[in-house]
Amino acid sequence: MSKVNRLLSQVFDINAELKSRDQRIALRKLFSNPDPWVRLNAARIILDIAPIEARAVIQAIANSKSYPVAGDAGMCLSFFDGELSNLKAP
């Protein structure tokens, strides 16, 4: 689990750096990466600046039924589409 935490920390750091330089759109190149996790993370990061293209990538991953990444992509779409906005904390 520590490897996952370290990698996620690196992803967040890279995102922050790209955002500060306004270079996140460069991540579109990763939409053709063979690893669905790479594609999903790239799409999430640029969802606000390229929503149509990023959403299509996320939708394709969700449709792939390749779990667990497909489930994660489906949750991302639910948040994006506002389906989870009405949930209340227990």
Side-chain angles (χ1 to χ4, degrees):
M1 192 56 137
S2 63
K3 181 179 180 180
V4 171
N5 290 339
R6 184 174 34 83
L7 292 174
L8 279 175
S9 177
Q10 289 175 349
V11 167
F12 293 138
D13 290 345
I14 291 168
N15 181 33
E17 182 64 27
L18 290 172
K19 201 172 195 175
S20 74
R21 295 182 187 187
D22 200 22
Q23 294 296 314
R24 290 178 295 158
I25 201 70
L27 293 175
R28 283 183 13 202
K29 291 187 282 187
L30 297 176
F31 286 177
S32 61
N33 189 289
D35 186 327
W37 287 107
V38 170
R39 294 192 312 271
L40 178 59
N41 283 312
R44 280 182 178 153
I45 290 169
I46 68 168
L47 196 54
D48 62 330
I49 57 176
I52 295 171
E53 190 176 2
R55 191 188 189 293
V57 169
I58 297 169
Q59 184 70 59
I61 294 168
N63 291 346
S64 75
K65 305 288 189 218
S66 177
Y67 295 99
V69 69
D72 203 8
M75 288 298 291
C76 182
L77 290 173
S78 292
F79 279 112
F80 181 73
D81 294 342
E83 295 172 13
L84 298 178
S85 63
N86 295 330
L87 292 180
K88 294 182 176 135

